Amino acid sequence: QVQLVESGGGLVQPGGSLTLSCAASGTIISRNVMNWFRQAPGKQRELIATITSGGGTNYADPVKGRFTISRDNAKNTVYLQMNSLKPEDTAVYYCRTLIILTSYWGRGTQVTVSS
């Protein structure tokens, strides 16, 4: 059974940094495409970062240059380093992987950017 568990969210001031973690079990993340999504109140869930099995990365324009997705294969964990945070980054952040056309999601972690 595939499980994804996010952690690392919290309250941070504008301009601050956070690192989110997504610990996986039941699958080997280095073999999968791993994504980070976020959903702000009243908005649709949006894809913000991707890391492929080959290690390639891709980012949505709103976070490009500020966020970095990475993985630790030994820990079977994916990370999202978030710098220069803005109030508009406030959202629930979700980790996802797609395996044989089935999406697996974590429960999310709340990030609030506010002074």
Side-chain angles (χ1 to χ4, degrees):
Q1 182 180 1
V2 177
Q3 288 190 327
L4 303 174
V5 179
E6 302 96 335
S7 62
L11 174 65
V12 63
Q13 291 187 343
S17 299
L18 278 176
T19 299
L20 307 183
S21 300
C22 170
S25 59
T27 187
I28 299 173
I29 62 165
S30 61
R31 298 179 180 176
N32 303 341
V33 174
M34 303 295 298
N35 308 115
W36 283 99
F37 285 72
R38 69 184 180 187
Q39 187 166 19
K43 295 188 177 181
Q44 288 189 332
R45 194 170 296 189
E46 63 174 340
L47 173 63
I48 58 170
T50 298
I51 185 165
T52 69
S53 57
T57 58
N58 195 37
Y59 301 92
D61 285 344
V63 307
K64 199 170 293 185
R66 299 187 297 123
F67 291 10
T68 303
I69 187 171
S70 63
R71 68 183 184 216
D72 184 330
N73 295 338
K75 295 182 178 180
N76 213 34
T77 299
V78 177
Y79 301 97
L80 186 68
Q81 172 68 42
M82 306 186 294
N83 298 325
S84 302
L85 283 162
K86 306 174 182 180
E88 51 263 44
D89 294 319
T90 295
V92 179
Y93 284 71
Y94 298 91
C95 181
R96 185 201 78 167
T97 190
L98 183 66
I99 302 172
I100 313 177
L101 302 182
T102 300
S103 284
Y104 297 89
W105 295 87
R107 293 187 175 182
T109 185
Q110 175 71 47
V111 172
T112 303
V113 184
S114 175
S115 55

